[in-house]
Amino acid sequence: MNPTLGVCYYPEHWPEEQWAEDAARMVHTGLTWVRIGEFAWARMEPEPGKFTWEWLDRAIEVLGNAGLKVVLGTPTATPPRWMIDKYPDMLAVDAEGRPRKFGSRRHYCFSHLGYREESRRITRLMAERYGKNPHVQAWQTDNEYSCHDTTLSYSDAARTGFQDWLAQKYQSPDALNRAWGNVFWSMDYDDFRQIDLPNLTVTEPNHPHQLAFRRYSSDQVVAFNRAQVDEIRKHSDAPISHNYMGRVTDFDHFKVGADLDIAAWDSYPLGFLLDRIEGDDAFKARFLKQGHPDNQAFHHDLYRAVGRGRWWIMEQQPGPVNWAPYNPAPLPGMCRLWAWEAFAHGAEAVCYFRWRQAPFAQEQMHAGLLRPDSQPAPALAEAAQVAEEVAALGRLEPQKADVALIFDYESDWAWQIQPQGADFGFFRLAFDAYRACRRAGLNVDILPPDAADLSDYAVVLAPGLMTLSDPLRAALAAYKGIALIGPRTDTKTDELSIPDPLGPNIPGLDVSVALTESLPPIVTEPLEGGGEFRHWFEHFEGSAPVLRRTAAGQPAIMGTKHLRTLAGWPCPETFFGLIRDLATEAGLTPMDLPEGLRLRDTASHRFVFNYAPEAQEWQGTTIPAAGVHWQAR
Amino acid sequence: MNPTLGVCYYPEHWPEEQWAEDAARMVHTGLTWVRIGEFAWARMEPEPGKFTWEWLDRAIEVLGNAGLKVVLGTPTATPPRWMIDKYPDMLAVDAEGRPRKFGSRRHYCFSHLGYREESRRITRLMAERYGKNPHVQAWQTDNEYSCHDTTLSYSDAARTGFQDWLAQKYQSPDALNRAWGNVFWSMDYDDFRQIDLPNLTVTEPNHPHQLAFRRYSSDQVVAFNRAQVDEIRKHSDAPISHNYMGRVTDFDHFKVGADLDIAAWDSYPLGFLLDRIEGDDAFKARFLKQGHPDNQAFHHDLYRAVGRGRWWIMEQQPGPVNWAPYNPAPLPGMCRLWAWEAFAHGAEAVCYFRWRQAPFAQEQMHAGLLRPDSQPAPALAEAAQVAEEVAALGRLEPQKADVALIFDYESDWAWQIQPQGADFGFFRLAFDAYRACRRAGLNVDILPPDAADLSDYAVVLAPGLMTLSDPLRAALAAYKGIALIGPRTDTKTDELSIPDPLGPNIPGLDVSVALTESLPPIVTEPLEGGGEFRHWFEHFEGSAPVLRRTAAGQPAIMGTKHLRTLAGWPCPETFFGLIRDLATEAGLTPMDLPEGLRLRDTASHRFVFNYAPEAQEWQGTTIPAAGVHWQAR
Amino acid sequence: MNPTLGVCYYPEHWPEEQWAEDAARMVHTGLTWVRIGEFAWARMEPEPGKFTWEWLDRAIEVLGNAGLKVVLGTPTATPPRWMIDKYPDMLAVDAEGRPRKFGSRRHYCFSHLGYREESRRITRLMAERYGKNPHVQAWQTDNEYSCHDTTLSYSDAARTGFQDWLAQKYQSPDALNRAWGNVFWSMDYDDFRQIDLPNLTVTEPNHPHQLAFRRYSSDQVVAFNRAQVDEIRKHSDAPISHNYMGRVTDFDHFKVGADLDIAAWDSYPLGFLLDRIEGDDAFKARFLKQGHPDNQAFHHDLYRAVGRGRWWIMEQQPGPVNWAPYNPAPLPGMCRLWAWEAFAHGAEAVCYFRWRQAPFAQEQMHAGLLRPDSQPAPALAEAAQVAEEVAALGRLEPQKADVALIFDYESDWAWQIQPQGADFGFFRLAFDAYRACRRAGLNVDILPPDAADLSDYAVVLAPGLMTLSDPLRAALAAYKGIALIGPRTDTKTDELSIPDPLGPNIPGLDVSVALTESLPPIVTEPLEGGGEFRHWFEHFEGSAPVLRRTAAGQPAIMGTKHLRTLAGWPCPETFFGLIRDLATEAGLTPMDLPEGLRLRDTASHRFVFNYAPEAQEWQGTTIPAAGVHWQAR
Ligand SMILES: [Zn+2]
Ligand SMILES: [Zn+2]
Ligand SMILES: [Zn+2]
């Protein structure tokens, strides 16, 4: 695969006279792709049924003729104002019961069938018009599903849709009552129409009620997206993508991804560091202008799984953004480093967001490759450098990793619904496992929760997976490498109840969780021989060998050579030690990389990334701050 | 009195085949009581007017025949879903104006007269059916009034009820305007129907307006409860209880208690430590698995007062719960210690909550005496041990305490309405006084605010009592022991205004509060000779002797031998010193107990409890962590 | 000018028999002014159209005959309850969409034209009745516009008014779409009636949309106030004032002030210190009972500008208040110091709030000059002392300052709408500049953003002024002293967009902001030679000389001798150093005053104020804690 670069562009924001020059500069910079169209509905259809495609025709023509390939986005994230007159009830409703008004973007409820048809209609019209256009070489559906907390809506449309979804799933209210344990507080229903959405209850609603609503809501994103995909496929052979948001787990990205050809994600390392990732002040100060050294790689590996191997960065941070609590500039070199790290993890393309900083509206303080006055912003030269380097290096072929980590959106919902302890959850636990592998210099493949074949991996990690799918359960039972599961793995039924017998219930692993403790940050559970659990500690029973104990003598890890389970949440240092020992035992050769230095192997090369703000040594080579180094393997 | 043990049980949650075995195991564990029924309305009356009492008949029979005494709960905390169809406006409304929806529990407004009649109806039917049943030996009304912040409701029903209550109380709008000082900001009313509930105003509503709404709301709980009590008494001679929540002050527990025979409370020491009690991290880490060493005792003494001597623990934490910010497991021994401490304070019964951990619904992570798979949880053996020890020890007779502490729900409301300083209030002040007594090894009786006879006590404490009742004022004036009042005691009228002359106005105590300061945590008011006030400091005037001064020379305590008043809020160390000196002066022999060691005397025994996580010495006896020691007096 | 003292009084709160004695005591204390009437609508017009002026006639007569001058307030901040029956939709609506109910004060929406007419009507009636009354020597419109966050209302009346205001301003939806950049996210409008208020959108609404609503809302306050002023002027020659709130920037005080004769503000130094001013714990503990040493002076200088030279303190804190998070008492002497500091800054009058502490309603814990029992509170003697001292000192003439600081309400809105970094904004930046001047012992004049003549000042400061007015731009370009602007000055258009060419765009200053970074508190941008920027850092370009660099070598200050701009937000120590150097360069003689010591010059005297809690030396004179010293210049 030959990695490519691209950029996001909004011809409708600029005078038409400027398009050709912009296109020429993009090509000169070495860019291949240009994404357009995804916020332009009001300029495509300014009045219901009145279309103004001509400007878009010309924009595609200008860009294509310059040598660029167009990624065409459907504009459904920004329905025009007239749509609200047509469907006043299409607005999503927040958990407080308030309609979320027009005036920004994503102002629609996924459950509203009228709007879903409008979304299908505009997509069909675009596919009919541009499906065979030779310049349109890829598609994007909508934009950043779930951004601004838009998956969950408490609208009338959502309530009705949820009730119908429940009726379809459970067939009778009694079956639902039994499945949810509604007897608990006289919560039984006689009719599906009695079942309200799980917001604004006196105390927390029943956990399976909440989980059902999370599943229903995720299914609406899948259905909404599928309607667009269906229309595009009728008229175009170009691959279809969606640009996911990192750290967003409100819908099942794997299920949306099943309908797409390419999984793309929008990577904003600096904004995420301050806004959405745990870390103490010293850590955040140190990586303020580089981003978290493991966050991008984690999402690269996640979306490689979501895209079944095909993935892009559709939006790459090019400078300061406007939306984080604070918005510093990237260290010189980072806009190059981030692109190379994506390619090393198998990205087909990295598109910077955006070509020129818009001088107006909500994102006017968001940098582009150009400044608002069309002068080059710092990232432009870095993009050009990457383009040259990519051309020089040639094909990059992916390399299957040694370690597999299972990631499961439903488990994340289950932890959110039933956290049992404040301030931690599935995502953080999975990311802690990932970070331990990265520090050990290991390549990781992320796998979906229905992974049926683990045999290619030396080590498999499945922490926090509340429920196991049948294929994964079988695969773990049959696994011949070293699998580490827990805490909390396989401790709940599909309806978020406690199984009988108590979990985990994997053939060959005689361990069960007799009692669960969650711990505040002010205490830890120390382990024998050093290290500690935090946050979570399970009291284990069973005949499986105890592989490690707590300082107080309770089991900390139990299991077999091939399958073992953690009783607690290891602190980062402890997690690293566990992974290192496990990897060694599995025949791998783990390292202990400094915090800012990270590796990634392709079939032909080893890449070394220096996230630190100072130069670091790697096997005799000095890698400057924000530097990238690669060598043939 | 012979202390007894019991458990909460939900026959409707389990197959009928399991009931007999469960009952036999309860008896074998040494339990006497089994509480049932309080969440089962949907299973008693699945459709309006269609009853299915038979399962409950059989459950009572099975339990009773096994030798257990049944506490039968009315199920009114969980009205079935069909009730909402009948009375859509019966839902409580939160302070933001949003109805609090069906889907959990306590989804009713105390002011809704339609629902109040439904509550009376189901209670009458239960009383008629089970009032003479020999196995039903006690009753519980509803469940945990006020839990989930359910006393205050801003519904239409509440507004109408409040207006009628005001009309009854004030008779004319002018009288109300004068009583409330509505002239202040042109807040006068011409008609009671103009008076809205005191939420969502531009800035804070008038203080007497708020206080009136608190009183009205408390009265609705009293009326709701009384309707049930009236029905039960017509058909049953068994004592009637309600299970109060600790640290909940939203309604007047004394007034509800006046209609009951037994005051019960639900004791969750670990959840309360993290969620509802002040304390620094080191303190909370130290007592994480034992609970606050004084919190349980405080509530024992409070509910002994509410029950006029008769009180129970209706729900005793048996292991990790599900609802606190973090949910650790109790230290081994604590489930025994907590029961013994309750008995030492005069509890007739301690019932663990619950028999078997439910594998489903909201509380599935809440431990029971059994695990979900019916295996014994750690607390089962501790309960059995207590049962054996209780049988061996025989009768325990209560002992009147040397110290009295006045507790007043209305003062708590008044502090909340008019805190004058963030983050402190009446409950915390009263609890600080209580803790000082506990450290001094003193037994305390808590008295209601209309206590008329203090003569049996050597020391009386009445901190923070904004308003004094006539009997208490007279009792304090006539008191011959040593009474310590203040800060803020007797400084307001019954309508939450400043009296003229300035308070306090107790015959024989010539002190008045000329000026009040509230202090942020960053400063203190040091006292002459050491110690300090925090939070609160009053400038005193008057001819009473100054018994202590601040370092700056202002009066810190003024008064007579028998009645003295504090100008500020003593820090814990200072409060202890004051109590120790006072007790000594009153002829008592105070100690200085270490933080984790606590005492309680009955007529015949002295009990010593070790809340510390390590063994402690007590007069030559080593008491292990979580240990209990008793000796004849 | 001969400074005078006064007091706020509520005859309607007290028995008529008490008025004469109160008046006599006021006169005896040395007070000149008595403000009355502003909350008494319900007592002036208890029913619609039924008036009870007689008590007010008599009150004015009693006060006037005692020798006092009356400031008569219009009562429109407290519309009576019957007004809500007449105009149920007159209540303001909060940003969450909830009407803000009757029951306290300020329960009206500025956009409601029905209520605006009622406000005009009651004002006209008062002006007709009292306009020629010889005792009424000044007027106050309404009370504390914007208090309790009441400028912005999201009511139907506001939406309609906003749409009309937009139509008037932009004339066509297309013009508005272009001005706002609505193309950005398909936010175009076809009709002004489609434009909603900018609340409850999915993510932030367009910035010019927000700014337009801020301007519209400010204009409504201006119009509301002007309606009253117009009525009063028809019948009275007495000067008209309004009592502004410090640190409130929700409407443009300059624009309201343009219709008034006197700008007054309500000064509560202790409440503001804890509630509304940045500062660490040690600083707040040190000045807990004195207030921030620069906050009062800043507002004095601001309202001197708003009043075009004529300004008062209409409410001066006399002791503990009731509304701050904590409410300590002022250090003895502070009630004198605050008054003297106001006079030194040019106040015509200082009125204490209030005469007698009200024993009832919301402010019963707010001190007065008298206690509720009519005994003197500590401030009474201090007021009397000031009165004597003022009489002894005689006339005080103002002195033009050497330094000018531009203050701009619209820039504050722009920073709020587009902060780009959490926790900082325009007010804080302007106040930091002011504090640096105060530490340097410099007198400051605050100027409005349309200041056209700077020639009288040696130094001009214009930090954070996002947009420059044409007159100010010209004045800066022509300026011959030393002007320091930035960061962020002149970087936006009037529609909150980025200008082309990039700003600042002041003739003679070739600097532009190529890139902007906002920084979290955990990092700084160090400067060459010491000092540092915090919060904000701009990357400069241009041909102007670099006057200072960052430690990393980037420009920190660029410009000419007469006009230079800051690339970042200097820390307090750095800001002081810059101001000191600038002032020296401009021929002034800056000092370095200790934190608690502050100066102010009049034409004839230098005043020295000791805010510290201990005595300090000033040029050989010992000034006690809370002391004031003055000497002829
Ligand atoms: Zn073409
Ligand atoms: Zn029987
Ligand atoms: Zn007269």
Short mmCIF file of all heavy atoms in Angstrom, two decimals, chain C residues 263-290:
data_model
loop_
_atom_site.label_atom_id
_atom_site.label_comp_id
_atom_site.label_asym_id
_atom_site.label_seq_id
_atom_site.Cartn_x
_atom_site.Cartn_y
_atom_site.Cartn_z
N ALA C 263 -23.17 58.30 37.51
CA ALA C 263 -23.01 56.85 37.60
C ALA C 263 -22.75 56.50 39.06
O ALA C 263 -21.85 57.07 39.68
CB ALA C 263 -21.85 56.39 36.74
N ALA C 264 -23.56 55.58 39.58
CA ALA C 264 -23.33 55.12 40.95
C ALA C 264 -23.00 53.63 40.90
O ALA C 264 -23.40 52.94 39.97
CB ALA C 264 -24.57 55.36 41.80
N TRP C 265 -22.25 53.19 41.88
CA TRP C 265 -22.06 51.73 41.94
C TRP C 265 -22.17 51.27 43.38
O TRP C 265 -22.06 52.08 44.31
CB TRP C 265 -20.79 51.29 41.24
CG TRP C 265 -19.49 51.45 41.99
CD1 TRP C 265 -18.82 52.61 42.23
CD2 TRP C 265 -18.70 50.40 42.56
NE1 TRP C 265 -17.66 52.34 42.90
CE2 TRP C 265 -17.55 51.01 43.12
CE3 TRP C 265 -18.84 49.01 42.66
CZ2 TRP C 265 -16.57 50.26 43.77
CZ3 TRP C 265 -17.85 48.28 43.29
CH2 TRP C 265 -16.72 48.89 43.85
N ASP C 266 -22.43 49.98 43.54
CA ASP C 266 -22.66 49.38 44.85
C ASP C 266 -21.43 48.59 45.24
O ASP C 266 -21.10 47.58 44.61
CB ASP C 266 -23.90 48.50 44.81
CG ASP C 266 -25.17 49.32 44.56
OD1 ASP C 266 -25.10 50.56 44.64
OD2 ASP C 266 -26.21 48.72 44.28
N SER C 267 -20.77 49.05 46.28
CA SER C 267 -19.44 48.52 46.62
C SER C 267 -19.49 47.63 47.86
O SER C 267 -19.75 48.10 48.96
CB SER C 267 -18.50 49.70 46.86
OG SER C 267 -17.23 49.22 47.24
N TYR C 268 -19.23 46.34 47.64
CA TYR C 268 -19.22 45.35 48.70
C TYR C 268 -17.86 44.65 48.69
O TYR C 268 -17.73 43.54 48.19
CB TYR C 268 -20.37 44.37 48.49
CG TYR C 268 -21.71 45.03 48.70
CD1 TYR C 268 -22.43 45.55 47.64
CD2 TYR C 268 -22.21 45.18 49.99
CE1 TYR C 268 -23.65 46.20 47.86
CE2 TYR C 268 -23.42 45.83 50.21
CZ TYR C 268 -24.13 46.33 49.14
OH TYR C 268 -25.32 46.97 49.36
N PRO C 269 -16.85 45.29 49.27
CA PRO C 269 -15.48 44.77 49.11
C PRO C 269 -15.28 43.35 49.62
O PRO C 269 -14.58 42.56 48.98
CB PRO C 269 -14.65 45.78 49.92
CG PRO C 269 -15.44 47.05 49.87
CD PRO C 269 -16.87 46.60 49.95
N LEU C 270 -15.89 42.99 50.75
CA LEU C 270 -15.63 41.66 51.30
C LEU C 270 -16.34 40.58 50.49
O LEU C 270 -15.77 39.52 50.20
CB LEU C 270 -16.08 41.58 52.77
CG LEU C 270 -15.49 42.62 53.73
CD1 LEU C 270 -15.66 42.16 55.16
CD2 LEU C 270 -14.03 42.89 53.43
N GLY C 271 -17.57 40.82 50.14
CA GLY C 271 -18.30 39.84 49.35
C GLY C 271 -17.62 39.59 48.01
O GLY C 271 -17.49 38.45 47.57
N PHE C 272 -17.15 40.66 47.39
CA PHE C 272 -16.50 40.49 46.08
C PHE C 272 -15.21 39.71 46.19
O PHE C 272 -14.87 38.92 45.31
CB PHE C 272 -16.24 41.86 45.45
CG PHE C 272 -17.42 42.35 44.65
CD1 PHE C 272 -18.68 42.42 45.21
CD2 PHE C 272 -17.27 42.71 43.31
CE1 PHE C 272 -19.76 42.86 44.47
CE2 PHE C 272 -18.36 43.15 42.57
CZ PHE C 272 -19.61 43.22 43.14
N LEU C 273 -14.44 39.96 47.27
CA LEU C 273 -13.16 39.26 47.40
C LEU C 273 -13.33 37.76 47.31
O LEU C 273 -12.61 37.06 46.60
CB LEU C 273 -12.51 39.62 48.74
CG LEU C 273 -11.18 38.88 48.99
CD1 LEU C 273 -10.05 39.55 48.23
CD2 LEU C 273 -10.84 38.81 50.47
N LEU C 274 -14.31 37.23 48.05
CA LEU C 274 -14.47 35.78 48.10
C LEU C 274 -15.20 35.23 46.89
O LEU C 274 -14.97 34.11 46.46
CB LEU C 274 -15.24 35.38 49.37
CG LEU C 274 -14.45 35.45 50.67
CD1 LEU C 274 -15.35 35.17 51.85
CD2 LEU C 274 -13.30 34.45 50.64
N ASP C 275 -16.07 36.03 46.34
CA ASP C 275 -17.02 35.51 45.37
C ASP C 275 -16.59 35.74 43.93
O ASP C 275 -16.93 34.95 43.06
CB ASP C 275 -18.36 36.21 45.61
CG ASP C 275 -19.54 35.40 45.13
OD1 ASP C 275 -19.43 34.16 45.16
OD2 ASP C 275 -20.54 35.99 44.73
N ARG C 276 -15.89 36.82 43.66
CA ARG C 276 -15.80 37.24 42.27
C ARG C 276 -14.42 37.69 41.82
O ARG C 276 -14.27 38.29 40.76
CB ARG C 276 -16.78 38.40 42.03
CG ARG C 276 -18.19 37.96 42.34
CD ARG C 276 -19.22 39.04 42.29
NE ARG C 276 -20.42 38.53 42.96
CZ ARG C 276 -21.58 39.17 43.01
NH1 ARG C 276 -21.73 40.33 42.43
NH2 ARG C 276 -22.61 38.63 43.64
N ILE C 277 -13.38 37.46 42.62
CA ILE C 277 -12.07 37.92 42.23
C ILE C 277 -11.07 36.77 42.37
O ILE C 277 -11.11 36.03 43.35
CB ILE C 277 -11.61 39.12 43.09
CG1 ILE C 277 -12.66 40.24 43.05
CG2 ILE C 277 -10.27 39.65 42.60
CD1 ILE C 277 -12.29 41.46 43.87
N GLU C 278 -10.19 36.64 41.38
CA GLU C 278 -9.14 35.63 41.43
C GLU C 278 -8.19 35.94 42.58
O GLU C 278 -7.93 37.10 42.90
CB GLU C 278 -8.35 35.60 40.12
CG GLU C 278 -9.16 35.16 38.92
CD GLU C 278 -10.03 36.28 38.35
OE1 GLU C 278 -9.78 37.46 38.66
OE2 GLU C 278 -11.00 35.97 37.63
N GLY C 279 -7.62 34.91 43.15
CA GLY C 279 -6.65 35.11 44.22
C GLY C 279 -6.45 33.79 44.95
O GLY C 279 -7.41 33.02 45.09
N ASP C 280 -5.25 33.54 45.40
CA ASP C 280 -5.04 32.28 46.10
C ASP C 280 -5.49 32.38 47.55
O ASP C 280 -5.89 33.45 48.02
CB ASP C 280 -3.58 31.82 45.98
CG ASP C 280 -2.62 32.79 46.61
OD1 ASP C 280 -3.03 33.58 47.48
OD2 ASP C 280 -1.43 32.77 46.22
N ASP C 281 -5.47 31.27 48.24
CA ASP C 281 -6.00 31.22 49.60
C ASP C 281 -5.28 32.19 50.53
O ASP C 281 -5.91 32.85 51.37
CB ASP C 281 -5.89 29.80 50.16
CG ASP C 281 -7.00 28.91 49.63
OD1 ASP C 281 -7.89 29.42 48.92
OD2 ASP C 281 -6.96 27.71 49.92
N ALA C 282 -3.95 32.26 50.39
CA ALA C 282 -3.19 33.13 51.31
C ALA C 282 -3.61 34.58 51.10
O ALA C 282 -3.80 35.34 52.07
CB ALA C 282 -1.69 32.96 51.06
N PHE C 283 -3.76 34.99 49.85
CA PHE C 283 -4.19 36.35 49.55
C PHE C 283 -5.58 36.62 50.12
O PHE C 283 -5.83 37.65 50.76
CB PHE C 283 -4.16 36.56 48.03
CG PHE C 283 -4.61 37.92 47.59
CD1 PHE C 283 -3.72 38.98 47.56
CD2 PHE C 283 -5.92 38.15 47.20
CE1 PHE C 283 -4.12 40.24 47.14
CE2 PHE C 283 -6.34 39.41 46.79
CZ PHE C 283 -5.44 40.45 46.77
N LYS C 284 -6.47 35.67 49.91
CA LYS C 284 -7.84 35.89 50.37
C LYS C 284 -7.94 35.87 51.90
O LYS C 284 -8.75 36.59 52.49
CB LYS C 284 -8.78 34.87 49.73
CG LYS C 284 -8.92 35.12 48.22
CD LYS C 284 -10.15 34.50 47.61
CE LYS C 284 -10.31 35.01 46.17
NZ LYS C 284 -11.53 34.52 45.53
N ALA C 285 -7.12 35.04 52.53
CA ALA C 285 -7.11 35.04 53.99
C ALA C 285 -6.57 36.39 54.51
O ALA C 285 -7.09 36.95 55.47
CB ALA C 285 -6.27 33.88 54.52
N ARG C 286 -5.55 36.90 53.83
CA ARG C 286 -4.93 38.15 54.29
C ARG C 286 -5.87 39.34 54.16
O ARG C 286 -5.87 40.23 55.00
CB ARG C 286 -3.64 38.39 53.47
CG ARG C 286 -2.87 39.64 53.83
CD ARG C 286 -1.46 39.59 53.26
NE ARG C 286 -0.79 40.88 53.26
CZ ARG C 286 -0.26 41.45 54.34
NH1 ARG C 286 -0.32 40.80 55.48
NH2 ARG C 286 0.31 42.63 54.27
N PHE C 287 -6.65 39.36 53.08
CA PHE C 287 -7.52 40.52 52.83
C PHE C 287 -8.99 40.22 53.08
O PHE C 287 -9.87 40.96 52.63
CB PHE C 287 -7.29 41.04 51.41
CG PHE C 287 -5.92 41.64 51.25
CD1 PHE C 287 -4.91 40.94 50.61
CD2 PHE C 287 -5.63 42.89 51.79
CE1 PHE C 287 -3.63 41.49 50.50
CE2 PHE C 287 -4.37 43.44 51.67
CZ PHE C 287 -3.35 42.73 51.03
N LEU C 288 -9.24 39.15 53.83
CA LEU C 288 -10.60 38.70 54.08
C LEU C 288 -11.51 39.79 54.62
O LEU C 288 -12.68 39.88 54.27
CB LEU C 288 -10.55 37.54 55.08
CG LEU C 288 -11.85 36.84 55.39
CD1 LEU C 288 -12.28 36.01 54.20
CD2 LEU C 288 -11.71 35.94 56.62
N LYS C 289 -10.97 40.61 55.51
CA LYS C 289 -11.79 41.59 56.20
C LYS C 289 -11.53 43.02 55.71
O LYS C 289 -11.97 43.98 56.34
CB LYS C 289 -11.54 41.49 57.71
CG LYS C 289 -11.92 40.11 58.25
CD LYS C 289 -11.84 40.00 59.75
CE LYS C 289 -12.51 38.70 60.21
NZ LYS C 289 -12.98 38.78 61.59
N GLN C 290 -10.81 43.12 54.59
CA GLN C 290 -10.55 44.44 54.03
C GLN C 290 -11.00 44.55 52.57
O GLN C 290 -11.28 45.61 52.07
CB GLN C 290 -9.04 44.75 54.09
CG GLN C 290 -8.46 44.61 55.48
CD GLN C 290 -7.73 43.27 55.62
OE1 GLN C 290 -8.32 42.21 55.81
NE2 GLN C 290 -6.41 43.32 55.52
#
